[in-house]
Amino acid sequence: MERYRFLAKDTVEAAERLLGWELVRRTERGVIRIRITETEAYKGGDDPASHASRGVTARNRLMFGDVGYLYVYLIYGMHHCMNIVAHEPGEVGAVLLRGGTALEGIDLIRRNRPGVSDRLLLDGPGKLAQGLGIDLSWNGYFLLEPGASAADGLRLEPGQAEGSISRTPRIGITKAKELPWRFVLEPSESR
């Protein structure tokens, strides 16, 4: 659990540190492995764009709990978004996973997102969840256990943030959008 200690620090710091880490989804059809390339941090009461800004609800209760859990919600009645709970002890927060790059299982991702070009498979939070086959049934799933390697599991694994990291204001929100809590991993140029 030592390698996941950064999740129990500041949510914004965790959002940046998650770049390059990998999500491994095991299914009956095979393995999907993606590199996390875009994240956004959302904190508690002092962040009006956060689901936790108005206190604990049935929907957001995971953001107030232990780190390393998947917080999944539905937006616009059709897109699932995945977050990893990450915050300092006694605080509140989660990191929205906004984008990724396929490392393994591209055929499985294509099956989950039929008719979409490879370039657009995982370039948004809803697309990322759909590509991995994540829906509301995954809400509350613990990503850090060795048991997550079982069939039909999901696990967060260390990876490399190869390339440059950009820090920008958050996007797709109307409140506190000026906060520079979005992080994007730009790939290294080929030599």
Side-chain angles (χ1 to χ4, degrees):
M1 295 298 278
E2 181 69 27
R3 64 183 170 181
Y4 301 110
R5 178 170 273 167
F6 73 95
L7 293 174
K9 296 191 184 270
D10 179 69
T11 306
V12 177
E13 178 184 334
E16 183 173 10
R17 296 264 319 264
L18 277 167
L19 293 176
W21 279 61
E22 298 173 7
L23 283 174
V24 181
R25 170 80 201 284
R26 299 194 183 281
T27 73
E28 291 181 2
R29 294 181 171 162
V31 174
I32 298 172
R33 179 181 297 271
I34 66 103
R35 175 172 292 122
I36 299 169
T37 59
E38 186 179 349
T39 61
E40 278 182 354
Y42 289 88
K43 292 189 169 195
D46 60 341
D47 179 0
S50 172
H51 289 174
S53 66
R54 295 187 178 176
V56 181
T57 66
R59 178 186 190 193
N60 71 15
R61 68 176 171 70
L62 287 167
M63 290 181 71
F64 292 81
D66 293 334
V67 302
Y69 283 87
L70 200 61
Y71 168 44
V72 181
Y73 59 88
L74 189 65
I75 59 169
Y76 309 124
M78 59 186 184
H79 300 294
H80 294 95
C81 292
M82 300 184 304
N83 297 258
I84 298 175
V85 177
H87 55 74
E88 294 176 88
E91 296 295 324
V92 179
V95 176
L96 173 64
L97 303 178
R98 290 197 54 85
T101 301
L103 301 175
E104 183 178 351
I106 188 75
D107 289 336
L108 296 171
I109 296 169
R110 287 178 186 136
R111 185 175 293 158
N112 291 339
R113 294 198 28 80
V116 176
S117 75
D118 287 357
R119 186 177 57 82
L120 303 175
L121 281 175
L122 304 170
D123 69 335
K127 296 174 183 182
L128 182 63
Q130 185 180 25
L132 286 166
I134 302 299
D135 58 22
L136 289 175
S137 69
W138 289 88
N139 191 41
Y141 188 88
F142 191 56
L143 294 167
L144 314 183
E145 283 184 353
S149 63
D152 205 24
L154 182 66
R155 184 176 61 219
L156 179 66
E157 294 185 352
Q160 296 294 320
E162 297 171 357
S164 62
I165 295 174
S166 300
R167 183 177 185 150
T168 75
R170 297 182 294 189
I171 59 175
I173 56 175
T174 57
K175 298 177 183 174
K177 59 185 178 183
E178 73 284 353
L179 293 173
W181 292 355
R182 174 177 172 252
F183 298 92
V184 180
L185 178 61
E186 304 291 344
S188 302
E189 302 227 1
S190 338
R191 296 178 193 209

